[in-house]
Amino acid sequence: MARMRTAPCPVMRTVDLVGDKWTLLILRDAFDGLRRFSQFQRSLGIAKNILSDRLAALVASGIMRTEPASDGTSYHAYVLTEKGLELFDLIVTLRQWGERNAFESGEEYRTLIDETTGEPLARVTYVRPDGRPLRRGETRLGDFRSMD
Amino acid sequence: MARMRTAPCPVMRTVDLVGDKWTLLILRDAFDGLRRFSQFQRSLGIAKNILSDRLAALVASGIMRTEPASDGTSYHAYVLTEKGLELFDLIVTLRQWGERNAFESGEEYRTLIDETTGEPLARVTYVRPDGRPLRRGETRLGDFRSMD
DNA sequence: CGAACTGGTTTCGAATCAAAACCTACTAGT
DNA sequence: ACTAGTAGGTTTTGATTCGAAACCAGTTCG
Protein backbone atom coordinates (compact mmCIF):
# COMPACT_ATOMS: atom_id res chain seq x y z
CA MET A 1 0.00 0.00 0.00
CA ALA A 2 1.35 3.36 -1.06
CA ARG A 3 2.41 6.14 1.26
CA MET A 4 -0.91 6.71 2.95
CA ARG A 5 0.68 8.27 5.98
CA THR A 6 1.69 11.32 3.96
CA ALA A 7 -1.26 11.53 1.59
CA PRO A 8 -3.02 14.91 1.40
CA CYS A 9 -6.45 13.26 1.59
CA PRO A 10 -7.94 13.12 5.07
CA VAL A 11 -10.01 10.10 4.15
CA MET A 12 -6.91 8.19 3.19
CA ARG A 13 -5.10 9.15 6.37
CA THR A 14 -8.02 7.96 8.47
CA VAL A 15 -8.43 4.78 6.49
CA ASP A 16 -4.76 4.06 6.97
CA LEU A 17 -5.19 4.25 10.74
CA VAL A 18 -8.52 2.56 11.29
CA GLY A 19 -9.50 1.06 7.94
CA ASP A 20 -9.15 -2.53 8.99
CA LYS A 21 -11.85 -4.96 10.04
CA TRP A 22 -10.34 -5.95 13.36
CA THR A 23 -9.36 -2.40 14.23
CA LEU A 24 -12.90 -1.16 13.69
CA LEU A 25 -14.34 -3.99 15.77
CA ILE A 26 -11.85 -3.29 18.56
CA LEU A 27 -12.99 0.32 18.54
CA ARG A 28 -16.62 -0.75 18.69
CA ASP A 29 -15.86 -2.88 21.72
CA ALA A 30 -13.87 -0.06 23.30
CA PHE A 31 -16.91 2.21 23.01
CA ASP A 32 -18.97 -0.56 24.56
CA GLY A 33 -16.71 -0.35 27.60
CA LEU A 34 -14.23 -3.14 27.03
CA ARG A 35 -10.76 -2.30 28.26
CA ARG A 36 -8.62 -5.35 28.70
CA PHE A 37 -6.73 -7.61 26.35
CA SER A 38 -8.64 -10.71 27.29
CA GLN A 39 -11.98 -8.94 27.04
CA PHE A 40 -11.32 -7.94 23.46
CA GLN A 41 -10.00 -11.36 22.68
CA ARG A 42 -13.04 -13.17 24.01
CA SER A 43 -15.49 -10.73 22.52
CA LEU A 44 -14.00 -10.90 19.04
CA GLY A 45 -12.56 -14.40 18.88
CA ILE A 46 -9.47 -12.82 17.40
CA ALA A 47 -6.05 -14.49 17.43
CA LYS A 48 -3.91 -13.07 20.18
CA ASN A 49 -1.04 -12.06 17.94
CA ILE A 50 -3.41 -10.12 15.69
CA LEU A 51 -5.06 -8.44 18.64
CA SER A 52 -1.66 -7.59 20.04
CA ASP A 53 -0.64 -6.11 16.70
CA ARG A 54 -3.80 -4.03 16.28
CA LEU A 55 -3.73 -2.71 19.82
CA ALA A 56 -0.08 -1.74 19.44
CA ALA A 57 -0.92 0.11 16.22
CA LEU A 58 -3.80 1.93 17.90
CA VAL A 59 -1.53 2.94 20.76
CA ALA A 60 1.22 3.99 18.34
CA SER A 61 -1.18 6.24 16.47
CA GLY A 62 -2.50 7.82 19.66
CA ILE A 63 -6.02 6.45 19.38
CA MET A 64 -5.68 4.27 22.47
CA ARG A 65 -3.30 4.27 25.35
CA THR A 66 -2.43 1.77 28.02
CA GLU A 67 -3.37 2.56 31.56
CA PRO A 68 -1.22 1.13 34.35
CA ALA A 69 -4.03 -0.22 36.50
CA SER A 70 -7.74 0.40 36.25
CA ASP A 71 -9.07 -1.79 39.04
CA GLY A 72 -7.16 -3.44 41.83
CA THR A 73 -5.08 -5.75 39.66
CA SER A 74 -1.70 -4.85 38.27
CA TYR A 75 -2.72 -5.66 34.72
CA HIS A 76 -3.11 -2.73 32.42
CA ALA A 77 -6.03 -1.62 30.31
CA TYR A 78 -6.39 -0.27 26.80
CA VAL A 79 -8.48 2.87 26.81
CA LEU A 80 -9.47 5.36 24.15
CA THR A 81 -7.63 8.66 24.16
CA GLU A 82 -9.42 11.89 23.32
CA LYS A 83 -8.39 11.31 19.70
CA GLY A 84 -9.91 7.86 19.92
CA LEU A 85 -13.10 9.09 21.56
CA GLU A 86 -13.56 11.38 18.57
CA LEU A 87 -14.14 8.23 16.52
CA PHE A 88 -17.51 7.82 18.25
CA ASP A 89 -19.34 9.22 15.23
CA LEU A 90 -17.59 6.72 13.00
CA ILE A 91 -18.84 3.74 14.97
CA VAL A 92 -22.32 5.25 15.13
CA THR A 93 -22.25 5.73 11.37
CA LEU A 94 -21.20 2.15 10.74
CA ARG A 95 -23.91 0.94 13.09
CA GLN A 96 -26.70 2.99 11.60
CA TRP A 97 -25.85 2.08 8.04
CA GLY A 98 -25.72 -1.56 9.02
CA GLU A 99 -29.06 -1.41 10.79
CA ARG A 100 -30.72 -0.02 7.71
CA ASN A 101 -28.84 -1.82 4.96
CA ALA A 102 -27.32 -5.06 6.14
CA PHE A 103 -30.26 -6.97 7.62
CA GLU A 104 -33.10 -8.82 6.02
CA SER A 105 -36.63 -8.57 7.33
CA GLY A 106 -37.06 -10.74 10.37
CA GLU A 107 -33.38 -10.89 11.24
CA GLU A 108 -32.45 -9.83 14.72
CA TYR A 109 -29.85 -7.24 15.45
CA ARG A 110 -28.44 -5.68 18.54
CA THR A 111 -29.56 -2.13 19.10
CA LEU A 112 -27.87 0.83 20.71
CA ILE A 113 -29.90 2.41 23.47
CA ASP A 114 -30.21 6.17 23.67
CA GLU A 115 -29.83 6.79 27.38
CA THR A 116 -31.60 10.14 27.18
CA THR A 117 -34.79 8.39 26.14
CA GLY A 118 -34.29 4.75 27.06
CA GLU A 119 -35.33 3.84 23.54
CA PRO A 120 -33.15 2.50 20.73
CA LEU A 121 -31.22 5.33 19.18
CA ALA A 122 -33.23 6.86 16.36
CA ARG A 123 -31.66 7.78 13.09
CA VAL A 124 -29.19 10.58 13.58
CA THR A 125 -28.30 13.01 10.81
CA TYR A 126 -25.50 15.46 10.25
CA VAL A 127 -26.10 19.15 10.65
CA ARG A 128 -23.81 22.12 10.04
CA PRO A 129 -22.87 24.43 12.90
CA ASP A 130 -25.84 26.64 11.99
CA GLY A 131 -28.20 23.68 12.21
CA ARG A 132 -28.82 23.16 8.51
CA PRO A 133 -28.76 19.47 7.56
CA LEU A 134 -26.01 18.17 5.33
CA ARG A 135 -27.36 16.35 2.30
CA ARG A 136 -25.69 14.17 -0.27
CA GLY A 137 -24.46 16.03 -3.29
CA GLU A 138 -24.02 19.29 -1.46
CA THR A 139 -20.25 18.91 -1.45
CA ARG A 140 -17.50 18.73 -4.02
CA LEU A 141 -13.78 18.20 -3.82
CA GLY A 142 -11.96 21.40 -2.96
CA ASP A 143 -8.40 22.54 -3.08
CA PHE A 144 -5.59 22.42 -0.57
CA ARG A 145 -5.58 24.11 2.74
CA SER A 146 -2.88 24.23 5.34
CA MET A 147 -3.46 22.73 8.78
CA ASP A 148 -4.06 25.54 11.32
CA MET B 1 -12.63 -14.22 9.95
CA ALA B 2 -15.71 -15.57 11.66
CA ARG B 3 -19.20 -15.51 10.26
CA MET B 4 -19.59 -11.77 10.01
CA ARG B 5 -22.31 -12.01 7.39
CA THR B 6 -24.70 -13.45 9.94
CA ALA B 7 -23.58 -11.58 13.05
CA PRO B 8 -26.28 -9.75 15.00
CA CYS B 9 -24.12 -6.64 15.33
CA PRO B 10 -24.80 -3.99 12.70
CA VAL B 11 -21.28 -2.64 13.06
CA MET B 12 -19.84 -6.02 12.22
CA ARG B 13 -22.09 -6.44 9.20
CA THR B 14 -21.06 -3.07 7.86
CA VAL B 15 -17.40 -3.65 8.57
CA ASP B 16 -17.64 -6.93 6.73
CA LEU B 17 -18.91 -5.14 3.62
CA VAL B 18 -16.84 -1.97 3.57
CA GLY B 19 -14.19 -2.41 6.26
CA ASP B 20 -11.28 -2.62 3.91
CA LYS B 21 -8.82 0.08 2.95
CA TRP B 22 -9.25 -0.17 -0.79
CA THR B 23 -13.01 -0.49 -0.55
CA LEU B 24 -13.27 2.68 1.49
CA LEU B 25 -11.02 4.56 -0.91
CA ILE B 26 -13.04 3.34 -3.88
CA LEU B 27 -16.16 4.67 -2.18
CA ARG B 28 -14.47 8.01 -1.55
CA ASP B 29 -13.61 8.25 -5.22
CA ALA B 30 -17.10 7.22 -6.21
CA PHE B 31 -18.52 10.08 -4.16
CA ASP B 32 -16.02 12.36 -5.88
CA GLY B 33 -17.60 11.41 -9.18
CA LEU B 34 -15.33 8.68 -10.48
CA ARG B 35 -17.21 5.99 -12.35
CA ARG B 36 -14.93 3.96 -14.55
CA PHE B 37 -12.48 1.16 -13.89
CA SER B 38 -9.51 3.04 -15.25
CA GLN B 39 -10.40 6.18 -13.32
CA PHE B 40 -10.35 4.30 -10.03
CA GLN B 41 -7.20 2.52 -11.03
CA ARG B 42 -5.33 5.69 -11.88
CA SER B 43 -6.63 7.60 -8.88
CA LEU B 44 -5.69 4.91 -6.39
CA GLY B 45 -2.68 3.26 -7.98
CA ILE B 46 -4.30 -0.04 -7.09
CA ALA B 47 -3.45 -3.31 -8.79
CA LYS B 48 -6.07 -4.18 -11.37
CA ASN B 49 -6.89 -7.59 -9.95
CA ILE B 50 -7.52 -6.07 -6.53
CA LEU B 51 -9.66 -3.32 -7.99
CA SER B 52 -11.55 -5.89 -9.99
CA ASP B 53 -12.10 -7.95 -6.85
CA ARG B 54 -13.27 -5.02 -4.72
CA LEU B 55 -15.61 -3.66 -7.36
CA ALA B 56 -17.12 -7.10 -7.83
CA ALA B 57 -17.66 -7.38 -4.08
CA LEU B 58 -19.30 -3.95 -3.96
CA VAL B 59 -21.58 -4.92 -6.83
CA ALA B 60 -22.35 -8.28 -5.18
CA SER B 61 -23.38 -6.56 -1.96
CA GLY B 62 -25.57 -4.06 -3.77
CA ILE B 63 -23.51 -1.01 -2.90
CA MET B 64 -22.52 -0.35 -6.49
CA ARG B 65 -23.90 -1.49 -9.80
CA THR B 66 -22.60 -1.49 -13.33
CA GLU B 67 -24.25 0.77 -15.83
CA PRO B 68 -24.23 -0.29 -19.47
CA ALA B 69 -23.06 2.98 -20.99
CA SER B 70 -22.80 6.37 -19.38
CA ASP B 71 -21.33 8.47 -22.17
CA GLY B 72 -21.05 7.58 -25.85
CA THR B 73 -18.67 4.68 -25.43
CA SER B 74 -19.78 1.12 -24.97
CA TYR B 75 -17.73 0.67 -21.80
CA HIS B 76 -19.65 0.41 -18.59
CA ALA B 77 -19.42 2.43 -15.42
CA TYR B 78 -19.52 1.56 -11.73
CA VAL B 79 -22.01 3.73 -9.92
CA LEU B 80 -23.29 3.86 -6.37
CA THR B 81 -26.73 2.41 -5.75
CA GLU B 82 -29.10 4.01 -3.26
CA LYS B 83 -27.63 1.68 -0.64
CA GLY B 84 -24.18 2.90 -1.60
CA LEU B 85 -25.21 6.55 -1.57
CA GLU B 86 -26.29 6.04 2.01
CA LEU B 87 -22.62 5.60 2.85
CA PHE B 88 -22.10 9.30 2.27
CA ASP B 89 -22.09 10.02 5.99
CA LEU B 90 -19.41 7.39 6.46
CA ILE B 91 -17.01 9.04 4.04
CA VAL B 92 -17.77 12.44 5.56
CA THR B 93 -17.04 11.03 9.00
CA LEU B 94 -13.73 9.56 7.92
CA ARG B 95 -12.80 12.83 6.27
CA GLN B 96 -13.67 15.03 9.21
CA TRP B 97 -11.87 12.87 11.72
CA GLY B 98 -8.82 12.83 9.49
CA GLU B 99 -8.85 16.59 9.04
CA ARG B 100 -8.82 17.11 12.77
CA ASN B 101 -6.67 14.21 13.91
CA ALA B 102 -4.36 12.99 11.20
CA PHE B 103 -2.47 16.10 10.13
CA GLU B 104 0.34 18.03 11.75
CA SER B 105 0.40 21.80 11.81
CA GLY B 106 1.56 23.15 8.48
CA GLU B 107 0.65 20.04 6.51
CA GLU B 108 -1.63 20.54 3.55
CA TYR B 109 -4.78 18.58 3.06
CA ARG B 110 -7.49 18.52 0.49
CA THR B 111 -10.74 20.03 1.66
CA LEU B 112 -14.33 19.29 0.81
CA ILE B 113 -16.25 22.32 -0.39
CA ASP B 114 -19.75 22.97 0.93
CA GLU B 115 -21.58 24.02 -2.21
CA THR B 116 -24.27 25.82 -0.25
CA THR B 117 -21.67 28.28 1.02
CA GLY B 118 -18.68 27.88 -1.29
CA GLU B 119 -16.51 27.48 1.80
CA PRO B 120 -14.83 24.32 3.06
CA LEU B 121 -17.35 22.17 4.86
CA ALA B 122 -17.46 23.12 8.52
CA ARG B 123 -17.60 20.52 11.24
CA VAL B 124 -20.85 18.63 11.06
CA THR B 125 -22.41 16.97 14.08
CA TYR B 126 -25.06 14.36 14.59
CA VAL B 127 -28.50 15.34 15.79
CA ARG B 128 -31.49 13.23 16.69
CA PRO B 129 -34.74 13.56 14.73
CA ASP B 130 -35.92 16.14 17.27
CA GLY B 131 -32.78 18.21 16.75
CA ARG B 132 -30.99 17.37 20.00
CA PRO B 133 -27.28 16.71 19.44
CA LEU B 134 -25.91 13.24 20.06
CA ARG B 135 -23.01 13.24 22.45
CA ARG B 136 -20.51 10.57 23.37
CA GLY B 137 -21.51 8.46 26.31
CA GLU B 138 -25.22 8.97 25.77
CA THR B 139 -25.60 5.47 24.44
CA ARG B 140 -25.18 1.97 25.72
CA LEU B 141 -25.50 -1.44 24.17
CA GLY B 142 -29.10 -2.57 24.04
CA ASP B 143 -30.85 -5.82 23.39
CA PHE B 144 -32.09 -7.51 20.28
CA ARG B 145 -34.71 -6.18 18.00
CA SER B 146 -36.19 -7.70 14.90
CA MET B 147 -35.78 -6.02 11.55
CA ASP B 148 -38.96 -4.13 10.53
C1' DC C 1 2.75 -24.35 46.88
C1' DG C 2 0.28 -25.41 42.66
C1' DA C 3 -3.19 -24.07 39.27
C1' DA C 4 -5.19 -20.96 36.55
C1' DC C 5 -5.34 -16.54 34.39
C1' DT C 6 -3.17 -12.44 31.96
C1' DG C 7 -0.77 -10.56 28.37
C1' DG C 8 1.69 -11.44 25.42
C1' DT C 9 5.67 -13.69 21.53
C1' DT C 10 7.02 -17.38 18.30
C1' DT C 11 6.27 -20.68 14.82
C1' DC C 12 4.50 -22.14 10.70
C1' DG C 13 1.09 -23.48 7.19
C1' DA C 14 -2.74 -21.11 4.79
C1' DA C 15 -4.77 -17.31 2.76
C1' DT C 16 -4.34 -12.89 0.74
C1' DC C 17 -2.01 -9.24 -1.73
C1' DA C 18 -0.06 -7.05 -5.43
C1' DA C 19 3.21 -6.49 -9.59
C1' DA C 20 3.59 -8.04 -13.96
C1' DA C 21 2.29 -10.37 -17.90
C1' DC C 22 -1.22 -11.59 -20.71
C1' DC C 23 -5.68 -11.31 -23.18
C1' DT C 24 -9.84 -9.70 -25.72
C1' DA C 25 -12.85 -6.01 -27.19
C1' DC C 26 -13.20 -1.65 -28.73
C1' DT C 27 -11.76 2.93 -30.59
C1' DA C 28 -8.91 6.45 -32.85
C1' DG C 29 -5.61 7.70 -36.21
C1' DT C 30 -3.84 7.35 -40.93
C1' DA D 1 -8.04 -1.57 -43.68
C1' DC D 2 -4.17 -1.54 -40.68
C1' DT D 3 -2.09 -0.30 -36.55
C1' DA D 4 -1.62 1.75 -32.09
C1' DG D 5 -3.54 2.54 -28.03
C1' DT D 6 -7.09 2.26 -24.40
C1' DA D 7 -10.61 -0.19 -21.49
C1' DG D 8 -11.47 -3.78 -18.62
C1' DG D 9 -10.29 -7.35 -17.14
C1' DT D 10 -7.82 -12.64 -15.82
C1' DT D 11 -3.75 -15.47 -14.73
C1' DT D 12 0.56 -16.27 -12.85
C1' DT D 13 3.91 -15.79 -9.53
C1' DG D 14 6.30 -14.38 -5.52
C1' DA D 15 5.90 -11.60 -1.17
C1' DT D 16 3.28 -10.40 2.63
C1' DT D 17 -0.06 -11.04 6.03
C1' DC D 18 -3.13 -13.85 8.72
C1' DG D 19 -4.32 -16.70 12.23
C1' DA D 20 -4.35 -21.29 14.98
C1' DA D 21 -1.65 -23.34 18.14
C1' DA D 22 2.16 -23.69 21.10
C1' DC D 23 4.91 -21.56 24.24
C1' DC D 24 6.30 -18.45 28.04
C1' DA D 25 6.88 -15.18 31.93
C1' DG D 26 4.56 -12.76 35.49
C1' DT D 27 0.18 -12.52 38.68
C1' DT D 28 -3.21 -13.83 41.38
C1' DC D 29 -6.17 -17.28 43.49
C1' DG D 30 -7.11 -21.29 46.33
Side-chain angles (χ1 to χ4, degrees):
Chain A
M1 197 75 119
R3 282 262 80 55
M4 283 199 170
R5 266 146 298 274
T6 62
C9 172
V11 178
M12 197 174 295
R13 295 263 184 125
T14 305
V15 161
D16 184 50
L17 296 178
V18 303
D20 168 87
K21 288 191 204 302
W22 286 128
T23 301
L24 290 166
L25 293 174
I26 289 167
L27 290 171
R28 176 203 62 175
D29 277 358
F31 280 108
D32 290 342
L34 270 54
R35 308 161 61 82
R36 286 170 60 154
F37 190 94
S38 55
Q39 290 179 313
F40 291 113
Q41 204 218 324
R42 268 194 293 272
S43 165
L44 298 173
I46 183 176
K48 298 205 294 182
N49 52 347
I50 303 296
L51 176 58
S52 185
D53 182 81
R54 295 300 188 278
L55 286 172
L58 286 168
V59 169
S61 59
I63 291 170
M64 300 188 94
R65 78 188 130 81
T66 53
E67 254 185 17
S70 46
D71 47 357
T73 74
S74 76
Y75 302 119
H76 64 284
Y78 291 89
V79 299
L80 292 163
T81 62
E82 176 58 29
K83 191 170 163 179
L85 288 168
E86 296 239 337
L87 287 164
F88 179 66
D89 281 2
L90 179 63
I91 304 301
V92 168
T93 307
L94 290 169
R95 181 178 294 275
Q96 294 224 337
W97 187 87
E99 287 181 357
R100 282 180 283 106
N101 295 282
F103 287 84
E104 306 290 327
S105 284
E107 277 193 296
E108 292 216 316
Y109 65 93
R110 188 178 275 272
T111 61
L112 198 67
I113 298 295
D114 183 344
E115 291 192 320
T116 70
T117 65
E119 294 294 307
L121 183 64
R123 180 170 186 170
V124 293
T125 55
Y126 271 134
V127 295
R128 297 177 174 83
D130 61 14
R132 289 158 45 236
L134 174 69
R135 282 181 243 283
R136 282 166 0 205
E138 290 182 339
T139 60
R140 64 179 158 79
L141 215 48
D143 36 280
F144 292 98
R145 133 168 313 211
S146 193
M147 188 61 196
D148 63 351
Chain B
M1 197 75 119
R3 282 263 78 58
M4 283 198 168
R5 266 145 296 274
T6 61
C9 171
V11 178
M12 196 173 298
R13 295 264 184 125
T14 305
V15 161
D16 184 51
L17 296 179
V18 303
D20 166 88
K21 288 190 203 304
W22 287 129
T23 301
L24 290 166
L25 294 174
I26 289 167
L27 290 171
R28 176 203 62 177
D29 277 359
F31 278 110
D32 290 342
L34 270 53
R35 308 161 60 84
R36 285 169 62 154
F37 190 94
S38 55
Q39 291 180 313
F40 291 113
Q41 203 218 325
R42 267 194 294 274
S43 165
L44 298 174
I46 183 178
K48 299 206 293 182
N49 51 348
I50 303 297
L51 176 57
S52 186
D53 182 81
R54 296 300 187 278
L55 286 173
L58 286 168
V59 169
S61 59
I63 291 170
M64 300 187 93
R65 78 187 130 82
T66 53
E67 253 185 17
S70 45
D71 47 356
T73 75
S74 75
Y75 301 118
H76 64 284
Y78 292 89
V79 300
L80 293 163
T81 61
E82 176 59 28
K83 191 169 163 181
L85 287 168
E86 295 239 338
L87 288 164
F88 179 65
D89 281 2
L90 179 64
I91 305 300
V92 168
T93 307
L94 290 169
R95 180 177 294 274
Q96 293 224 338
W97 188 88
E99 287 180 357
R100 283 181 282 106
N101 296 282
F103 287 85
E104 306 289 328
S105 284
E107 276 193 297
E108 292 214 316
Y109 65 92
R110 189 178 275 272
T111 61
L112 198 67
I113 299 296
D114 183 345
E115 291 191 319
T116 68
T117 65
E119 294 295 308
L121 183 65
R123 180 170 186 169
V124 292
T125 54
Y126 271 135
V127 296
R128 296 177 174 84
D130 60 13
R132 288 158 46 237
L134 175 69
R135 283 180 241 282
R136 286 169 352 211
E138 290 182 340
T139 60
R140 65 180 156 79
L141 215 48
D143 36 276
F144 292 99
R145 135 168 311 213
S146 194
M147 187 61 195
D148 67 351

